[in-house]
Amino acid sequence: MRYNRSVPPCAVIPVLHYPSPKEAAEWLQKAFGFTVRLRIENHRIQMRAGDGCFTIAEGGGMPNRSCTVQVRIEGAREHCERARNAGARIVDEPLDAIYGERQYNAEDFHGHRWNFTETLADVDPESWGGTPVNL
């Protein structure tokens, strides 16, 4: 696979629409700790989320609630408080799951849904009813 510095190396790159990409980038940095990777004039901004990426694109429509962006983090409880203090609506408080993750769900200022997940332990999927396939 070829590499292009103008495009994130991630295999999957969600594109989220906001009325103002600049305003969205500033809020997402403050609330969730994402960082700007690349600005494309005034209509698109590539953001880093850990070793993943997503793009903010200009667009005024309301977000489609059929999709949630999941982001791996450290310190879910602290991350949740940071998000809350920045104005995120916490949909579900941090909760420890049987599959070894601590997760919480938030909605940003424009209505996009986010799931933040922190790994607590390496748990065998068969112990909680999962079926490993090509792990």
Side-chain angles (χ1 to χ4, degrees), residues 97-101 119-129 132 135:
I98 60 173
Y99 46 86
E101 297 290 306
T119 298
L120 301 176
D122 181 15
V123 178
D124 180 357
E126 291 178 347
S127 73
W128 52 266
L135 291 184

Side-chain angles (χ1 to χ4, degrees), residues 30-124:
K30 179 181 176 186
F32 299 146
F34 301 142
T35 58
V36 172
R37 181 184 182 279
L38 177 70
R39 294 182 190 278
I40 304 163
E41 298 184 2
N42 292 325
H43 67 280
R44 289 176 91 80
I45 297 174
Q46 293 174 3
M47 303 287 294
R48 282 191 180 93
D51 60 0
C53 293
F54 64 95
T55 299
I56 298 170
E58 187 174 33
M62 286 305 294
N64 181 333
R65 298 266 195 277
S66 68
C67 177
T68 299
V69 180
Q70 186 174 63
V71 180
R72 183 165 303 288
I73 58 167
E74 296 287 331
R77 289 190 179 111
E78 297 83 6
H79 193 275
C80 180
E81 284 310 307
R82 172 186 181 158
R84 185 188 329 271
N85 291 337
R89 185 171 80 82
I90 305 305
V91 177
D92 298 300
E93 295 289 334
L95 181 66
D96 295 357
I98 60 173
Y99 46 86
E101 297 290 306
R102 176 173 293 143
Q103 298 180 329
Y104 81 95
N105 293 294
E107 187 174 279
D108 70 25
F109 74 101
H110 190 59
H112 292 291
R113 294 283 175 103
W114 300 85
N115 170 269
F116 294 96
T117 186
E118 172 187 16
T119 298
L120 301 176
D122 181 15
V123 178
D124 180 357

